[in-house]
Amino acid sequence: ETKEKERKKQLEEEDKRKLNEKQKQEKITKEEEESKEKERKLLKQQEEAEKNYTHAHNLGDLAASCHLGRIAFLQGQYKQAKKYFQKPATLNHAEACDYLAQIYDKEKNSKKALLLYKRAAFLGFAKSKLNLSHFYVSIAESAIHRARSSLSNKLSFYWCYSAAISGYTKACLPLSKMYRYGNGTKKN
């Protein structure tokens, strides 16, 4: 009789365990379905937004062009991004100039990159000021002549300092290193 009770108890526990497993699996399945539905909705919204941005871009909206350019840039589609950024950059849209400069920099077209970084920096775009600083650092590191290296370091410091006082916090660490090691300025 005790064996029968134990067996009955084991069967009840096994049934409970199976029920718990089934409930867990149902919950996981339900969560997966909800997640897929959210993903479908998000993709639909993204497609609709991209359609609207494309329409606005075709109507000449510079902000829409920049947005589409940013998306293409982040996806590594630099040729497409370049097309989107071209018109806003010619109309002195600072962010477009910066992104276009980054593309030219990746393509090893230093002259166009430098020109566009400078344009965006003079338009007050702090990120470009820091990018320009990094650009001058790379020139200083590759410079054969000491005088050219010194000038590049000073220009790098100037633009990094300018980015920092513009409120671009990402410029603070490189600026502090320039002060620490005396790159482009006195050691401090």
Side-chain angles (χ1 to χ4, degrees), residues 43-66:
L43 283 172
K44 188 176 178 182
Q45 289 173 344
Q46 187 177 359
E47 288 171 0
E48 185 67 27
E50 195 168 331
K51 181 179 155 187
N52 290 336
Y53 276 113
T54 302
H55 180 68
H57 162 74
N58 292 336
L59 293 174
D61 186 324
L62 299 181
S65 298
C66 285

Side-chain angles (χ1 to χ4, degrees), residues 147-158:
R148 184 173 177 197
S149 176
S150 176
L151 176 62
S152 293
N153 277 332
K154 287 177 183 176
L155 288 168
S156 177
F157 172 80
Y158 170 81

